[in-house]
């Protein structure tokens, strides 16, 4: 296999339990987002746009949809002779074999995959996050700093620090303290779950970690603290821009609504940094004479005859006359009958909402209608 | 139908689409918000189970080559077979003038090397969603030399087409020139099915007689010796080779039944993917009866119109009964009615453009109007 300077390992095994019915059948990275994408499109597109052409995707939970979605990687230009995208589920070995017991363990079990490319550096990213980032800039910084590991960080509001892995850095950007979900944070720089490691260093830590029966085999809980206590050169890479971990129904809804801001902080129309996805080959959308659309995102294959305000419609959605969709996310191939009203809801793929149905409420929690249901 | 191979013959195809045909052949003319004309027949072939298609081309094919690429979008990037774009393969420059018969002759090795024994020859400007399998089967079951696909329609007065007359047995007994008086409402779709051996034989004997054109000479002049059967296509058909027919059939896409027929009846129509985000409608947009592709940003008013990928309609701009091709931009306060704007056209602030449905206002690719 051709040598690669940097190989990416994309963690896509997340169950996403807090996304409820949306992740009953599919892994979190495969959840739909933004009218035409799945969450994993962002990290895969980031890889290809950053010039990284060897990507291992670590899957574990409900991999069927994710596997067939990734395929041989052609939508992201990752169908390559050497490298490209490889889906890496857990596998059996002569001495047993096991599920991935943690994020670090998932990489540990695939050391052979990484070594094929004889890389200097390993990029570890998570398929759960929505952001646009040039990993190559981060790699340049990592090299300039002669770092053992570089962790991308973003400033988060102080009141949210207890949800993240928080870093404290010195003036040069070197990480001097790391605490996972602290109660009283001393910094508001949160880890984005984007790491670049010098491969030889990481490899030795992965081996040590695997030999430790008490370890939870996790980057945030084990590998990073070990590196820190050994005084390794750990650098923070400051990222400014849109970054979202869509862990809950509410944050998924919110991330979709973010795209409807007047000037969205996540610009999908940037031709210099396209987000690629599988294309369902639908005709252009049709907006009927009875339709009324304000501040919405509508994908190909939709037929809209009703009213749509501040909402996101995925491909193939049919909105009949007299219906009204407000502040909602309507996933692919949903049919919405005459006179139906949908407020502050996420409607799952292929669901049929019968005529006159009233769904969702003006305030309170976001209503989730699972995929493939018929509501009358 | 695995036995059949396709040939989309673009040589001497009528290209009266004015600005839309400047620097691009008919096959590459954008249509329906996100397609190019060739997508329809090419997808039809693929959806009919054909896995080897040649495109005979001779002029203005840069945009076409870019569009077709490796044939991946049509699932035609194959180890064996797949898509072949074949420009003229001549030894001398003046052989160009010889017409498509000579091209068939030059490509005889291509036919010989193919394992398929039936050839379906088509043009690119027939917008339809056709299942060719029953037509090919009908040809194989019958004893005709050639089977010709036609449509019975009174709707094709704006395009340049050939009428045919059939006898009671469905045999083609008369074919008209493009300018002939109208003998019937049966319009040729310029789709011909024949065995490969018959095709090669016809090409050689016709060339030997000094003929140049496959249809006008080899078929029409040999009408009496040939047994030509007909096969009726009953789905939606748009023959696109004049601006009037382009405009007419584009506007027909606003009719739900037409879209259903054309975009999904016998399978999907495939095209090159552009990876544009979903269309964005902002506050203040008024959109009625419009076909809109991804990547569009609409702040103004759009009525009875078609917007291709990446078009921007700014606040206060009004677009009526118009077709705006890829990446067009209509600035605030300007208004266009009955217009066809080619790719990358900008209409600057406050401009008013007005065409007539029978003679739409046309703007050349990349022009900036109002400077």
């Amino acid at each position: 296999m051709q040598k690669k300077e940097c190989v990416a390992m994309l963690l896509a095994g997340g169950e996403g339990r807090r996304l409820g019915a949306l992740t009953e059948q599919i892994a979190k990275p495969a959840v739909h987002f933004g009218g035409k994408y799945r969450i994993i499109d962002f990290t895969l597109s980031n890889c290809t746009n950053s010039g990284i052409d060897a990507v291992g995707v670590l899957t574990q939970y409900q991999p069927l949809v994710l596997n067939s979605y990734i395929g041989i990687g052609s939508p992201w230009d990752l169908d390559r002779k050497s490298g490209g995208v490889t889906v890496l589920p857990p596998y059996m070995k002569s001495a047993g074999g096991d599920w991935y017991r943690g994020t670090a363990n998932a990489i540990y079990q695939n050391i052979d995959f990484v070594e094929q490319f004889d890389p200097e550096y390993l990029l570890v990213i998570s398929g759960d996050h929505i952001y646009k980032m040039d990993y190559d800039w981060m790699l340049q910084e990592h090299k300039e700093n002669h770092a053992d590991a570089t962790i991308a960080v973003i400033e988060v509001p102080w009141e949210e620090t207890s949800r993240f892995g928080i870093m404290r850095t010195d003036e040069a950007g070197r990480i001097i303290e790391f605490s996972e979900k602290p109660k009283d944070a001393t910094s508001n720089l949160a880890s984005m779950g984007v790491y670049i490691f010098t491969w030889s260093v990481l490899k030795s830590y992965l081996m040590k970690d695997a030999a430790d029966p008490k370890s939870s085999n996790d980057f945030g809980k084990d590998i990073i603290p070990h590196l820190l206590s050994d005084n390794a050169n750990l650098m923070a890479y400051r990222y400014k821009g849109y970054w979202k971990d869509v862990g809950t129904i509410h944050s998924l809804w919110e991330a979709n609504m973010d795209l409807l801001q007047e000037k969205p902080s996540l610009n999908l129309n940037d031709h210099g940094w396209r987000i690629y996805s599988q294309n369902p080959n639908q005709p252009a959308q049709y907006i009927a004479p009875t339709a009324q659309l304000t501040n919405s995102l509508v994908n190909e294959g939709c037929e809209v005859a009703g009213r749509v305000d501040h909402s996101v419609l995925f491909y193939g959605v049919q909105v009949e006359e007299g219906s009204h969709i407000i502040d909602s996310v309507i996933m692919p191939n949903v049919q919405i009958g005459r006179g139906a009203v949908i407020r502050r809801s996420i409607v799952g793929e292929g669901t049929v909402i019968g005529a006159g149905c009233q769904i969702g409420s003006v305030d309170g929690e976001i209503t989730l209608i699972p995929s493939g249901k018929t509501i009358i | 139908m695995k036995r059949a191979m396709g040939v989309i013959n673009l040589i001497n195809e009528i290209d009266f689409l004015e600005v839309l045909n400047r620097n691009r052949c008919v096959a590459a003319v954008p249509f329906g918000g996100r397609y190019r004309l060739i997508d329809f027949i090419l997808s039809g072939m693929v959806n009919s189970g054909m896995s080897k298609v040649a495109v005979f081309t001779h002029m203005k094919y840069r945009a076409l080559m870019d569009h077709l690429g490796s044939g991946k979008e049509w699932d035609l990037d194959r180890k064996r077979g797949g898509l072949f774009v074949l420009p003229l393969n001549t030894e001398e420059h003046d052989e160009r003038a010889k017409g498509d018969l000579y091209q068939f002759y030059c490509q005889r090795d291509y036919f010989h090397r193919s394992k398929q024994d039936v050839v379906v020859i088509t043009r690119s400007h027939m917008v339809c969603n056709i299942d060719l399998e029953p037509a090919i089967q009908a040809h194989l079951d019958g004893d005709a030399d050639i089977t010709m696909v036609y449509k019975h329609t009174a709707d094709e007065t704006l395009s340049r087409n050939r009428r045919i007359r059939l006898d009671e047995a469905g045999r083609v007994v008369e074919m008209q020139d493009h300018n002939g008086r109208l003998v019937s409402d049966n319009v040729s779709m310029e789709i011909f099915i024949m065995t490969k051996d018959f095709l090669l034989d016809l090409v050689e004997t016709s060339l030997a007689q000094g003929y140049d054109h496959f249809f006008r000479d080899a078929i029409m002049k040999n009408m009496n010796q040939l047994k030509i059967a007909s096969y009726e296509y009953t789905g939606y058909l748009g023959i696109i080779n004049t601006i009037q027919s382009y405009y007419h059939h584009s506007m027909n896409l606003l009719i739900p039944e037409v879209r259903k027929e054309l975009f999904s009846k016998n399978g999907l129509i495939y095209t090159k993917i552009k990876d544009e985000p979903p269309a964005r409608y902002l506050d203040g947009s008024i959109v009625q009866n419009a076909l809109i592709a991804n990547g569009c940003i609409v702040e103004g008013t759009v009525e009875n119109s078609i917007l291709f990928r990446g078009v921007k309609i700014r606040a206060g701009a009004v677009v009526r009964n118009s077709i705006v091709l890829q990446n067009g931009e209509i600035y605030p306060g300007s208004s266009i009615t009955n217009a066809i704007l080619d790719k990358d056209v900008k209409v600057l602030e406050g401009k008013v453009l007005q065409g007539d449905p029978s003679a739409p206002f046309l703007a050349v690719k990349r022009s900036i109007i109002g400077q």
Side-chain angles (χ1 to χ4, degrees), chain A residues 2 5 8 35 96-97 108 120 196 227 231 260 294 312 333 341 354:
Chain A
Q2 194 188 324
E5 186 188 30
Y108 171 78
E120 312 312 327
I196 290 178
L227 280 160
N231 241 332
L260 302 175
T294 56
V312 175
N333 301 317
V341 179

Side-chain angles (χ1 to χ4, degrees), chain B residues 6 24 54 60 105 111 156 171 202 218-219 271 333 335 357 368 371:
Chain B
R24 58 166 98 83
K60 298 190 286 190
Y105 180 74
F111 290 102
E156 279 302 334
R171 205 177 139 175
L202 181 69
I219 293 184
T271 190
S335 142
I368 298 173
Q371 215 173 20

Side-chain angles (χ1 to χ4, degrees), chain A residues 319-358:
Chain A
V319 182
E320 285 188 31
E321 206 178 323
S323 58
H324 191 180
I325 302 169
I326 314 135
D327 302 332
S328 295
V329 179
I330 313 293
M331 293 201 174
N333 301 317
V334 169
Q335 293 178 35
I336 295 166
R338 275 170 185 270
V341 179
I342 299 173
R343 270 196 189 84
R344 283 169 55 87
S345 298
I346 296 178
V347 181
E349 191 169 355
T351 284
V352 179
I353 308 284
C357 282
Q358 303 270 333

Side-chain angles (χ1 to χ4, degrees), chain A residues 64-309:
Chain A
L64 179 67
V65 171
L66 196 55
N67 285 358
S68 74
Y69 185 71
I70 294 170
I72 57 165
S74 353
W76 307 274
D77 208 15
L78 289 171
D79 51 334
R80 298 295 178 83
K81 285 243 169 197
S82 166
V85 70
T86 311
V87 177
L88 301 167
Y91 58 97
M92 296 303 291
K93 306 161 194 81
S94 56
D98 206 346
W99 296 106
Y100 295 147
R101 289 188 304 272
T103 49
N105 182 257
I107 309 288
Y108 171 78
Q109 290 202 40
N110 287 290
I111 285 178
D112 289 348
F113 169 80
V114 177
E115 299 254 279
Q116 298 177 91
F117 302 103
D118 187 21
E120 312 312 327
Y121 308 102
L122 190 78
L123 169 71
V124 178
I125 49 183
S126 158
D128 296 353
H129 300 150
I130 294 165
Y131 62 104
K132 300 196 294 186
M133 180 173 177
D134 194 335
Y135 303 130
D136 196 43
W137 295 1
M138 181 170 165
L139 181 61
Q140 295 313 321
E141 268 205 32
H142 179 86
K143 288 198 275 191
E144 277 163 28
N145 292 328
H146 301 285
D148 295 314
T150 301
I151 303 176
V153 295
I154 188 166
E155 279 183 36
V156 294
W158 282 93
E159 60 273 20
E160 287 182 31
T161 47
S162 61
R163 289 175 45 217
F164 297 99
I166 295 295
M167 318 275 160
R168 200 154 64 83
T169 61
D170 66 12
E171 277 141 33
R174 189 166 165 175
I175 297 168
I176 48 177
E177 197 186 322
F178 173 82
S179 39
E180 185 74 19
K181 299 182 180 160
K183 280 205 188 75
D184 300 301
T186 49
S187 152
N188 66 338
L189 290 179
S191 164
M192 296 167 61
V194 177
Y195 310 94
I196 290 178
F197 295 98
T198 298
W199 172 238
S200 54
V201 176
L202 177 66
K203 192 180 159 190
S204 67
Y205 276 85
L206 288 175
M207 308 281 237
K208 262 189 266 172
D209 178 68
D212 176 4
K214 282 185 295 216
S215 170
S216 53
N217 310 116
D218 187 86
F219 277 102
K221 291 190 193 107
D222 306 290
I223 301 289
I224 303 298
H226 277 147
L227 280 160
L228 205 59
S229 63
D230 289 355
N231 241 332
N233 187 10
L234 235 64
M235 299 298 293
Y237 174 78
R238 280 208 182 216
Y239 173 81
K240 286 196 175 76
Y242 188 89
W243 178 82
K244 194 126 190 164
D245 177 3
V246 284
T248 62
I249 293 292
H250 194 272
S251 65
L252 178 65
W253 175 82
E254 210 172 57
N256 277 285
M257 294 300 125
D258 286 346
L259 297 171
L260 302 175
Q261 291 159 358
E262 200 181 330
K263 283 231 178 328
S265 30
L266 182 70
N267 178 11
L268 297 174
N269 291 67
D270 177 5
H271 283 182
W273 202 270
R274 281 183 205 265
I275 305 303
Y276 301 100
S277 62
Q278 283 268 15
N279 193 292
N281 245 304
Q282 300 277 313
Q285 57 198 268
Y286 175 69
I287 311 300
T290 52
Q292 214 181 321
L293 285 154
T294 56
N295 199 8
S296 291
L297 214 51
V298 181
N299 197 3
E300 285 165 345
C302 286
E303 303 254 333
V304 182
R307 194 170 154 192
V308 182
D309 294 326

